[in-house]
């Protein structure tokens, strides 16, 4: 049987695209990137033809079209498994990994994006109250994560998982927006461990040419 080629529609600077890329790189899964520039009408149309919500990443696996990074990683783990299982085989551990995945997406990436996107709004349309709420949400999430991750090598335990794929870009960009306090040594050390992981280091290097696009300015650090 001939294996179908995987194609990932993505942009390297997108946090959610990096999340999917980490999973692919972690298991050296063969795939092709279809770069998407949302400033290009042709690229936007190509993405909309696959996923009308026009969000990336989108994975095409033969006749199967999958949006959303979490769903893509679940699909890869089921249909293209490698030496590193990204969904723990133990059911309780899998629940913990999925919980942490949602926290990194909803409580780290979403408020981070609120602050970033507000910076590119017209001056009269900005939302300082919403930005303050987003920064508070980040600090709340930092405190919860610092306690939850105590004694763990990775987000859900001793093995790298779906949750870490989400955490790597989430904590990279969140720390640029609302620095993780020095008091949260567990979380800061975990972030450093993620940035040093070969799979994320590769995604991070691929994103470097686009750091000038960060609306709050390139912080000059990882």
């Amino acid at each position: 049987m001939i294996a179908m080629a995987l194609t990932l529609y993505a942009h390297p600077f997108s946090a959610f695209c990096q999340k999917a890329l980490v999973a692919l790189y972690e298991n050296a899964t063969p795939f092709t990137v279809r770069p998407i520039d949302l400033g290009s009408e042709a690229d936007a149309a190509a993405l909309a033809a696959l996923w009308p919500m026009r969000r990336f990443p989108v994975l095409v696996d033969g006749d199967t079209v999958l949006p959303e990074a979490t769903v893509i990683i679940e699909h890869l783990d089921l249909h293209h498994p490698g030496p590193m299982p990204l969904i723990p085989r133990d059911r309780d551990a899998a629940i913990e990994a999925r919980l942490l995945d949602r926290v990194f997406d909803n409580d780290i990436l979403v408020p981070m994006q609120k602050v970033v996107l507000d910076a590119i709004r017209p001056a009269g349309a900005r939302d300082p109250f919403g930005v303050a709420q987003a920064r508070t949400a980040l600090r709340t999430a930092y405190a919860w994560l610092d306690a939850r991750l105590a004694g763990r090598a990775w987000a859900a335990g001793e093995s790298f998982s779906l949750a870490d794929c989400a955490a790597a870009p989430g904590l990279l960009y969140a720390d640029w927006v609302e620095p993780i306090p020095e008091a949260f040594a567990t979380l800061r050390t975990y972030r450093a461990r993620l940035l040093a992981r070969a799979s994320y280091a590769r995604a991070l290097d691929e994103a470097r040419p686009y750091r000038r696009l960060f609306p709050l300015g390139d912080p000059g650090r990882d």
Side-chain angles (χ1 to χ4, degrees), residues 137-183:
L138 283 171
R139 292 192 294 270
T140 299
Y142 291 163
W144 186 87
L145 285 165
D146 190 70
R148 189 77 168 200
L149 299 179
R152 297 180 181 180
W154 300 106
E158 293 305 306
S159 297
F160 194 89
S161 73
L162 162 70
D164 302 292
C165 296
L171 292 176
L172 173 80
Y173 291 125
D175 187 58
W176 289 3
V177 167
E178 180 67 27
I180 300 170
E182 296 284 346

Side-chain angles (χ1 to χ4, degrees), residues 13 176 204 207-214 218-222:
F13 200 57
W176 289 3
L204 187 56
R208 290 188 192 283
Y210 304 96
R211 288 167 71 113
R212 58 183 171 75
L213 299 176
F214 194 64
D218 183 347
R221 59 183 173 82
D222 289 336

Side-chain angles (χ1 to χ4, degrees), residues 8-217:
L8 186 72
Y9 289 67
H11 189 286
F13 200 57
S14 159
F16 286 106
C17 292
Q18 289 179 18
K19 175 178 172 179
L21 286 167
V22 170
L24 288 159
Y25 292 154
E26 192 66 33
N27 280 312
T29 306
F31 74 104
T32 300
V33 172
R34 165 60 163 90
I36 292 293
D37 176 1
L38 289 182
S40 160
E41 290 186 10
D43 282 5
L47 184 62
L50 294 171
W51 181 229
M53 306 304 178
R54 299 191 182 199
R55 291 194 300 267
F56 42 37
V58 173
L59 182 74
V60 177
D61 183 3
D63 295 330
T64 301
V65 177
L66 292 159
E68 302 296 333
T70 294
V71 173
I72 289 170
I73 295 170
E74 293 263 9
H75 176 84
L76 292 171
D77 193 71
L78 179 62
H79 294 287
H80 302 274
M84 177 59 66
L86 295 173
I87 309 299
R89 300 303 178 240
D90 177 82
R91 294 286 296 275
D92 286 332
I95 289 172
E96 182 69 4
R98 290 183 172 105
L99 167 63
L100 270 293
D101 171 74
R102 303 322 308 136
V103 169
F104 285 117
D105 278 5
N106 295 327
D107 301 301
I108 294 293
L109 276 171
V110 169
M112 179 278 293
Q113 288 183 329
K114 168 65 179 177
V115 178
V116 170
L117 293 176
D118 192 77
I120 61 176
R121 283 182 166 188
R126 290 184 179 162
D127 178 17
F129 179 75
V131 167
Q133 285 185 312
R135 291 187 181 279
T136 297
L138 283 171
R139 292 192 294 270
T140 299
Y142 291 163
W144 186 87
L145 285 165
D146 190 70
R148 189 77 168 200
L149 299 179
R152 297 180 181 180
W154 300 106
E158 293 305 306
S159 297
F160 194 89
S161 73
L162 162 70
D164 302 292
C165 296
L171 292 176
L172 173 80
Y173 291 125
D175 187 58
W176 289 3
V177 167
E178 180 67 27
I180 300 170
E182 296 284 346
F184 296 146
T186 294
L187 186 59
R188 290 173 62 86
T189 300
Y190 170 63
R191 180 182 182 274
R193 192 180 305 122
L194 287 168
L195 268 58
R197 183 85 175 186
S199 56
Y200 188 58
R202 179 176 175 182
L204 187 56
D205 282 343
E206 291 171 348
R208 290 188 192 283
Y210 304 96
R211 288 167 71 113
R212 58 183 171 75
L213 299 176
F214 194 64
L216 301 181

